[in-house]
Amino acid sequence: MWRAEIKVLLKKSVLDPQGRAVENALTSLGYTNVNRVRIGKYLEVTIATPDRAAAEAQVREMCTRLLTNPVIEDYTFTLVEVEA
Amino acid sequence: MWRAEIKVLLKKSVLDPQGRAVENALTSLGYTNVNRVRIGKYLEVTIATPDRAAAEAQVREMCTRLLTNPVIEDYTFTLVEVEA
Amino acid sequence: MKPEDWRRIGLRDNEYEMILNILGREPNQVELGMFGVMWSEHCSYKHSKAVLKTFPTTGPRVLQGPGENAGIVAIGDGLAVCFKIESHNHPSAIEPYQGAATGVGGIIRDIFTMGARPIAILDSLRFGTLDDPRVRYLFSGVVGGIAGYGNCIGIPTVGGEVYFDPCYQGNPLVCVMCVGLLETEKIRLGKATGAGNLVILAGARTGRDGMHGASFASEELSEASAEKRPAVQVGDPFMEKLLLEACLELIDGGDLVGIQDLGAAGLTCAVAEMASRGGTGMEIELAKVPCREEGMTPYEIMIAESQERMLMVVTPEKEAKVHAVFQRWGLTSTTIGRVTDDGLLRIKMHGQVVAEVPARSLAEDSPVYYPASSKPAYLERTAELNLAEIPQPADFNTVLLQLLATPNLASKEGVWQQYDYMVRTSTVVRPGSDAAVLRIRGTQKALALTADCNARYVYLDPYVGGQIAVAEAARNVVCSGGEPLAITDCLCFGNPEKPEIYWQFRQAVEGISAACRSLETPVTGGNVSFYNETKGEAIYPTPVIGMVGLLSDVTKACTLSFKAEDDLIVLLGESFEELGGSEYLAVIHGRVQGKPPALDLAKEKALHRVVLAAIGQGLVRSAHDLAEGGLAVAVAECLFEHGIGARLTLSTNGLRPDSLLFGESQSRVVLSLPAESLPALRELAVREGVPLTEIGRAGGDRFQIYVDGVPRVDLPVTELKAAWQEAIQC
Amino acid sequence: MKFGVIVFPGSNCDLDAYHLVRDVLGAPVEYIWHAEQSVAGFDCLILPGGFSYGDYLRCGAIARFSPVMPAVVDFARHGGLVLGICNGFQILTEAGLLPGALYANTSLQFRCRFTTLRVENTDTPFTRGLAPGQLLSIPIAHGEGNYYVDPATLQEMEARGQIVFRYADREGRITPEANPNGSVGNIAGICNETRNVLGMMPHPERAGEALLGSTDGLLLFKSILDYWKEGSR
Ligand SMILES: Nc1ncnc2c1ncn2[C@@H]1O[C@H](COP(=O)(O)OP(=O)(O)O)[C@@H](O)[C@H]1O
Ligand SMILES: [Mg+2]
């Protein structure tokens, strides 16, 4: 069993309104040393398969088919082996 | 300079409708070997401070004050040293 | 310049020749890019201009016809209504949520650019069939995007339509209409006048997103367009809300000479149109344009289509104040140039000229094409419908239940409950009736709004179909108690370079024009979307009509629901043996065939006079037009809100029972009224020569239809309602 | 008495609350721009619905740091009447003036429709004019009205009568079907311990005129006026 930890962010070239709003908020709260705030999605999915390679392939497939929209989003993920 | 990578999830005690919806969607797409789907937020914030400890402290503070709502959310984060 | 340079950005060889003649020299990359986006179909209307000129566009109430960002008609009390419809089909096909959201953002900017306060949104949507998971994804994404943007910015989405047909499988249609209110003397135009006046850019920073959106929208969707994906962008409704408030405050204070939103073709289009309309030129310093990304080139800055940006022309005295207002609203605004009197757009980067072209040449001198047109072959096939081949249904109960449950007729509540249709607390008739009605604060008046098109009719006969689209919109407005004022149109068609498509286009426009003339509803603006094809297959010709009507007394607003037991049910208009193009024929017998029902515009107009008088004199308690599904479906729809049943006793008078119950003959309305009102109503009908038939009574909890004494339909209202309500999950 | 409607960037029901108080209730009312630092001279503050700061990150999360908020918190702590509607409710929970939190409807969709509310506590300035168990027809319009609070706190709140409105069916029963967003215990509105701060997801300002389908929302505002007239604070 694997837990896929998937991070999804808008492509760098795409406007990230949330990120901008939060960056402004942080600055006005006095955190003037922050920048490049980006806000996206975080997903955890547990996959029952013995084999890491199979798990990786499946995550990629699920990301392109359902979990993300490649048109505007990029994703990265890591696999953590977990107990059933 | 540090890039804080912050993962925010609903507390285990709080029902996660989005996670459930996505789990159903995945299953109906034929991914019958997935479960425990949880969906939250992923935030990246770049912090200009030489010192890791200071960066850590600041992330905690920003998370409790603004970035997360402790009533319903838990968060974890990692710091990555980056070039200015 | 090599041919591939201009072809790559969609310019044809002859168009490049024109550019050479205009400039008297070779354009540089930046200039070529500017011509490329401005002369794209989307911005230049090069294939439709000539035909659009034939629309009737004038009338006693029209203050602003086509040509500006939106049309405006006067409604008395020194007030006017500003409205426009626009499509965002191609972006929505690729990123449904953001594609639809930015479509909403764009049309809202068109309205407040004119100085109007946006008060309502309508959405007209078309998708493939819901058995396809991709279609369900597009459907929920588009609806989510409209909700996400409209709800956030706080403009109620009060009406629209949703249709499903295989012809839209790969090419959904997403048309959004916005309606605004303004004081007549506050009208602002997108004009740059007064040499020496300053040019200010406000709102979002410019990014690389939306590159070539304009030329992208002018191509058939192909596998290739997947590569152009960056053309889709993310909307920022919060930014637009601030922009809206700031701009209206400035317009209110009379601080602007001219104002123009940045849409397709971005900065290029805004500066070209403003200067061209004002007969002036502009000098712009691109280094001053706030950019979201490092190292953007002049080319990129000029054609980027980043959302939520506005361009303004102000006198030097006002400059400081204008910047101050934007700052209070938390927005960036920058003076990026000045108006000149030489008619040239002089674009500089760090003081160095990177482009210099006549403003007019971009905005006005684009090529005009008169494509060949020829009657489509398919019409031969579809025209012949032999009713003898169509068996009468054995069981009318099942047919009625089936029809109510077909996605095209079923309740769209699953859609509009996701929209905030109440914000601004002026929505008097909510989604779910015919036209929506919004009161106008500070007056006794109200507006009736609707968006309509039966594309199957247009497919089977573009001329008649075009007429019917206008007539049905007007009928919806009238049934809500409104006097039809004017229309805006969103003409969605296939590839105009195909003669059969262009024939559809010309016929539909002629039909719309004819209807607008007799119903006295001029065209005040609109939008053309060509190249709606996938793998060479065109959609049905789909000219969506957005109509605005006026009620002089908001308390007279009428809905379609039966409201009292024992009320009489009356049918106005005449029923013919017309099953051609009907939903019944398509759903029950699997045929898209025949001629659409005939339309007599004089009879239509007479019907409107009767219904408006009846509502105005308070004779009736409900009014509903007959559309898809015919008489049986229309009456069923009147039962659902209050769960009041009905008993109809009809006679065929030589018609087939199925034609009588499900045929879609035009110019018909069903009314409910207390018995004592009947004589007065009959008098109105007789005076206008409109056939009036008493067809039954409201009451009980069942829907029963007797045809020539034979019980044909007998079902509990609850069962009918369930079938109708649960059909569409969104 | 004078009402103040606080305008955050992105508020969009400010105008509706303003019109209801001025044109229907007939009481003095003014807008208060979020950048103000004082709310002196006002007797009841309304935090209106909308999408303050786009509701980016979390509903109300950024607005609660607006310059005006310290004054609002101070006003509330000294017993001033504060009514948070929809986004206003979300801001009040984020600001800690009300317990719990609001998050995504279980449908994951925005919902706009009339709901039936059952009045659970009439011993507040906002509901004193109502009858216990009275049913009100008031619309909702939100995507994140799913109220959550941990079980322990919920018990205390119940005990202290802090639950003011619940979603009910037409017969007044508290059923899952009547719950439009999944909120715990069908909760639609709550008040603080001292009962001078009310937060509710439904929009009473949208139910103030027969023309718009219901006048039940007006009853809340009338209660506030009566409470004030009697000077019982
Ligand atoms: N996409 C939509 N958005 C908002 N309201 C809609 C939408 N689709 C349908 N409606 C509403 O549902 C009702 C019925 O729609 P429709 O069947 O198209 O009416 P009609 O046939 O009278 O034009 C109308 O009030 C319409 O405004
Ligand atoms: Mg209708």
Coordinates of all heavy atoms in Angstrom, one line a residue, chain C residues 52 54-66 71-74 81 83 177 470 474 483-489 512-526 545-549 605:
Chain C
L52 N -24.1 41.6 -41.2 CA -24.6 42.2 -40.0 C -25.2 43.6 -40.3 O -26.1 44.0 -39.6 CB -23.5 42.3 -38.9 CG -23.0 40.9 -38.4 CD1 -21.9 41.2 -37.4 CD2 -24.1 40.1 -37.9
T54 N -27.2 44.4 -42.3 CA -28.6 44.3 -42.7 C -29.6 44.3 -41.5 O -30.8 44.3 -41.7 CB -28.9 43.1 -43.6 OG1 -28.7 41.9 -42.8 CG2 -28.0 43.1 -44.8
F55 N -29.1 44.2 -40.3 CA -30.0 44.2 -39.1 C -30.7 45.5 -38.9 O -30.1 46.5 -39.2 CB -29.1 43.9 -37.8 CG -28.9 42.5 -37.5 CD1 -27.7 42.0 -37.0 CD2 -29.9 41.5 -37.6 CE1 -27.4 40.7 -36.7 CE2 -29.7 40.2 -37.3 CZ -28.4 39.8 -36.8
P56 N -31.9 45.5 -38.5 CA -32.5 46.8 -38.1 C -32.0 47.2 -36.7 O -32.0 46.4 -35.8 CB -34.0 46.4 -38.0 CG -34.0 45.0 -37.7 CD -32.8 44.4 -38.4
T57 N -31.4 48.4 -36.7 CA -30.6 48.8 -35.5 C -31.1 50.1 -34.9 O -30.5 50.6 -33.9 CB -29.1 48.9 -35.8 OG1 -29.0 49.9 -36.8 CG2 -28.6 47.6 -36.3
T58 N -32.2 50.6 -35.4 CA -32.6 51.9 -34.9 C -34.1 51.8 -34.4 O -34.8 50.9 -34.7 CB -32.6 53.0 -36.0 OG1 -33.5 52.5 -37.1 CG2 -31.2 53.2 -36.5
G59 N -34.4 52.8 -33.5 CA -35.8 52.8 -33.0 C -35.8 54.0 -32.0 O -34.8 54.5 -31.6
P60 N -37.1 54.4 -31.7 CA -37.2 55.6 -30.8 C -36.5 55.5 -29.5 O -36.0 56.4 -29.0 CB -38.7 55.7 -30.6 CG -39.3 54.3 -31.0 CD -38.3 53.8 -32.0
R61 N -36.3 54.2 -29.0 CA -35.6 54.1 -27.7 C -34.1 53.8 -27.8 O -33.4 53.9 -26.8 CB -36.3 52.9 -26.9 CG -37.7 53.1 -26.5 CD -38.2 51.8 -25.8 NE -39.5 51.9 -25.3 CZ -39.8 52.4 -24.1 NH1 -38.9 52.9 -23.3 NH2 -41.1 52.5 -23.7
V62 N -33.6 53.5 -29.0 CA -32.2 53.2 -29.1 C -31.3 54.4 -28.9 O -31.3 55.3 -29.7 CB -31.9 52.5 -30.4 CG1 -30.5 52.1 -30.5 CG2 -32.8 51.2 -30.6
L63 N -30.5 54.3 -27.9 CA -29.5 55.4 -27.6 C -28.1 55.0 -28.2 O -27.3 55.8 -28.5 CB -29.4 55.7 -26.1 CG -30.7 56.1 -25.4 CD1 -30.4 56.4 -23.9 CD2 -31.2 57.4 -26.1
Q64 N -27.9 53.7 -28.2 CA -26.6 53.2 -28.7 C -26.8 51.9 -29.4 O -27.2 50.9 -28.7 CB -25.6 53.1 -27.6 CG -24.2 52.5 -28.0 CD -23.5 53.4 -29.0 OE1 -23.2 54.5 -28.7 NE2 -23.2 52.8 -30.2
G65 N -26.5 51.9 -30.7 CA -26.7 50.6 -31.4 C -25.4 49.9 -31.5 O -24.5 50.1 -30.7
P66 N -25.2 48.9 -32.4 CA -24.0 48.1 -32.5 C -22.8 49.0 -32.8 O -22.9 50.1 -33.3 CB -24.3 47.3 -33.8 CG -25.8 47.2 -33.9 CD -26.3 48.5 -33.4
G71 N -25.0 47.8 -26.4 CA -26.1 48.6 -26.8 C -26.8 49.2 -25.6 O -26.7 48.7 -24.5
I72 N -27.6 50.3 -25.9 CA -28.3 51.0 -24.8 C -29.7 51.4 -25.4 O -29.8 52.0 -26.5 CB -27.5 52.3 -24.4 CG1 -26.1 51.9 -23.8 CG2 -28.3 53.0 -23.3 CD1 -25.3 53.0 -23.3
V73 N -30.7 51.2 -24.6 CA -32.0 51.7 -24.9 C -32.6 52.4 -23.7 O -32.4 52.1 -22.6 CB -33.0 50.5 -25.3 CG1 -32.5 49.8 -26.6 CG2 -33.2 49.5 -24.2
A74 N -33.4 53.5 -24.1 CA -34.0 54.3 -23.0 C -35.2 53.7 -22.5 O -36.0 53.0 -23.2 CB -34.4 55.7 -23.6
V81 N -31.2 51.1 -20.2 CA -30.7 49.8 -20.0 C -29.6 49.4 -21.0 O -29.8 49.7 -22.2 CB -31.8 48.8 -19.9 CG1 -32.6 48.8 -21.2 CG2 -31.3 47.4 -19.7
F83 N -27.0 46.4 -22.5 CA -27.0 45.0 -22.5 C -26.2 44.4 -23.7 O -26.1 45.1 -24.7 CB -28.3 44.4 -22.4 CG -29.2 44.7 -23.5 CD1 -29.5 43.8 -24.5 CD2 -29.8 46.0 -23.6 CE1 -30.3 44.1 -25.6 CE2 -30.6 46.3 -24.7 CZ -30.9 45.4 -25.7
M177 N -24.9 36.8 -21.2 CA -25.5 38.1 -21.4 C -25.4 38.9 -20.1 O -25.7 38.3 -19.1 CB -26.9 38.0 -21.9 CG -27.8 39.2 -22.0 SD -29.4 38.8 -22.7 CE -30.3 40.4 -22.4
V470 N -36.4 34.9 -32.2 CA -36.8 36.2 -31.7 C -38.2 36.2 -31.2 O -38.5 36.7 -30.1 CB -36.7 37.3 -32.9 CG1 -37.2 38.7 -32.4 CG2 -35.3 37.4 -33.5
A474 N -39.5 37.1 -27.4 CA -40.5 38.1 -27.1 C -41.7 37.5 -26.4 O -42.2 38.1 -25.4 CB -41.0 38.7 -28.5
E483 N -43.1 44.5 -22.1 CA -43.2 44.9 -23.5 C -41.8 44.8 -24.1 O -40.8 45.4 -23.6 CB -43.6 46.4 -23.5 CG -43.5 47.0 -24.9 CD -43.4 48.5 -24.8 OE1 -43.4 49.1 -23.7 OE2 -43.1 49.2 -25.9
P484 N -41.6 43.9 -25.1 CA -40.3 43.7 -25.7 C -39.7 45.0 -26.2 O -40.4 45.8 -26.9 CB -40.6 42.8 -26.9 CG -41.9 42.1 -26.5 CD -42.7 43.1 -25.7
L485 N -38.4 45.3 -25.9 CA -37.8 46.6 -26.3 C -36.8 46.4 -27.4 O -36.8 47.1 -28.4 CB -37.1 47.2 -25.1 CG -37.9 47.7 -23.9 CD1 -37.0 48.4 -22.9 CD2 -39.0 48.6 -24.4
A486 N -35.9 45.4 -27.2 CA -34.7 45.3 -28.1 C -34.0 44.0 -27.8 O -34.2 43.4 -26.8 CB -33.8 46.5 -28.0
I487 N -33.2 43.6 -28.8 CA -32.4 42.4 -28.6 C -30.9 42.6 -28.8 O -30.4 43.5 -29.3 CB -32.8 41.3 -29.6 CG1 -32.4 41.6 -31.0 CG2 -34.3 41.0 -29.6 CD1 -32.2 40.4 -31.9
T488 N -30.2 41.6 -28.2 CA -28.8 41.4 -28.5 C -28.6 40.0 -29.0 O -29.5 39.1 -28.6 CB -27.9 41.7 -27.3 OG1 -26.5 41.4 -27.7 CG2 -28.3 40.8 -26.1
D489 N -27.7 39.7 -29.9 CA -27.6 38.3 -30.4 C -26.2 37.7 -30.4 O -25.3 38.5 -30.5 CB -28.1 38.3 -31.9 CG -27.2 39.2 -32.8 OD1 -26.2 38.7 -33.2 OD2 -27.6 40.4 -33.0
I512 N -34.0 36.7 -38.4 CA -33.9 37.5 -37.2 C -34.3 39.0 -37.6 O -35.2 39.6 -36.9 CB -32.5 37.5 -36.6 CG1 -32.2 36.1 -36.1 CG2 -32.4 38.5 -35.5 CD1 -30.8 35.9 -35.7
S513 N -33.8 39.5 -38.6 CA -34.1 40.9 -39.0 C -35.6 41.1 -39.3 O -36.2 42.0 -38.8 CB -33.3 41.3 -40.3 OG -32.0 41.2 -40.1
A514 N -36.2 40.1 -40.0 CA -37.6 40.2 -40.3 C -38.4 40.3 -39.0 O -39.3 41.1 -38.8 CB -38.1 39.1 -41.2
A515 N -38.1 39.3 -38.1 CA -38.9 39.3 -36.8 C -38.6 40.6 -36.0 O -39.6 41.1 -35.5 CB -38.4 38.1 -36.0
C516 N -37.4 41.0 -36.0 CA -37.1 42.3 -35.2 C -37.9 43.4 -35.8 O -38.4 44.3 -35.0 CB -35.7 42.6 -35.2 SG -34.7 41.4 -34.1
R517 N -38.0 43.5 -37.1 CA -38.8 44.6 -37.7 C -40.2 44.5 -37.3 O -40.8 45.5 -36.7 CB -38.7 44.6 -39.2 CG -37.3 45.0 -39.8 CD -37.3 45.5 -41.2 NE -36.0 45.9 -41.6 CZ -35.0 45.0 -42.0 NH1 -35.3 43.7 -42.0 NH2 -33.8 45.4 -42.3
S518 N -40.9 43.4 -37.4 CA -42.3 43.4 -37.1 C -42.6 43.4 -35.6 O -43.6 44.0 -35.2 CB -43.1 42.1 -37.7 OG -42.2 41.3 -38.4
L519 N -41.7 42.9 -34.8 CA -41.9 43.0 -33.4 C -41.4 44.2 -32.8 O -41.5 44.4 -31.5 CB -41.4 41.7 -32.7 CG -41.9 40.4 -33.2 CD1 -41.3 39.2 -32.5 CD2 -43.4 40.3 -33.0
E520 N -40.8 45.1 -33.6 CA -40.2 46.3 -33.2 C -39.2 46.2 -32.0 O -39.3 46.9 -31.0 CB -41.4 47.3 -32.8 CG -42.3 47.6 -33.9 CD -43.6 48.2 -33.5 OE1 -44.5 47.5 -33.2 OE2 -43.7 49.5 -33.4
T521 N -38.3 45.2 -32.2 CA -37.2 45.0 -31.3 C -35.9 45.1 -32.0 O -35.4 44.1 -32.4 CB -37.4 43.7 -30.6 OG1 -37.4 42.7 -31.6 CG2 -38.6 43.6 -29.7
P522 N -35.4 46.3 -32.2 CA -34.1 46.5 -32.9 C -32.9 45.7 -32.3 O -33.0 45.4 -31.1 CB -33.9 48.0 -32.9 CG -34.7 48.5 -31.8 CD -35.9 47.6 -31.7
V523 N -31.9 45.4 -33.1 CA -30.7 44.8 -32.7 C -29.8 45.9 -32.2 O -29.4 46.8 -32.9 CB -30.1 44.0 -33.8 CG1 -28.8 43.3 -33.3 CG2 -31.1 42.9 -34.4
T524 N -29.3 45.8 -30.9 CA -28.5 46.8 -30.4 C -27.0 46.4 -30.3 O -26.2 47.1 -29.8 CB -28.9 47.3 -29.0 OG1 -28.8 46.2 -28.1 CG2 -30.4 47.8 -29.1
G525 N -26.8 45.1 -30.6 CA -25.4 44.6 -30.5 C -25.4 43.1 -30.5 O -26.5 42.5 -30.5
G526 N -24.2 42.6 -30.4 CA -24.2 41.1 -30.3 C -22.8 40.7 -30.6 O -21.8 41.4 -30.4
I545 N -30.8 34.6 -29.0 CA -31.3 35.9 -28.9 C -31.5 36.3 -27.4 O -32.1 35.6 -26.6 CB -32.7 35.9 -29.5 CG1 -32.7 35.5 -31.0 CG2 -33.4 37.3 -29.4 CD1 -31.8 36.4 -31.8
G546 N -30.9 37.4 -27.0 CA -31.1 37.9 -25.7 C -32.0 39.1 -25.8 O -31.8 40.0 -26.6
M547 N -33.1 39.1 -25.0 CA -34.1 40.2 -25.2 C -34.3 40.9 -23.8 O -34.3 40.3 -22.8 CB -35.4 39.7 -25.7 CG -36.4 40.8 -26.0 SD -37.9 40.2 -26.8 CE -37.3 39.9 -28.5
V548 N -34.6 42.2 -23.9 CA -34.9 43.0 -22.8 C -36.3 43.6 -23.0 O -36.6 44.1 -24.1 CB -33.9 44.2 -22.6 CG1 -34.4 45.1 -21.5 CG2 -32.5 43.6 -22.3
G549 N -37.2 43.5 -22.0 CA -38.5 44.0 -22.0 C -38.7 44.9 -20.8 O -38.0 44.9 -19.9
K605 N -47.6 39.2 -33.1 CA -47.7 40.6 -32.5 C -49.1 40.7 -31.9 O -49.2 41.3 -30.8 CB -47.5 41.6 -33.6 CG -47.5 43.0 -33.1 CD -46.1 43.4 -32.5 CE -46.1 44.9 -32.1 NZ -45.0 45.2 -31.2

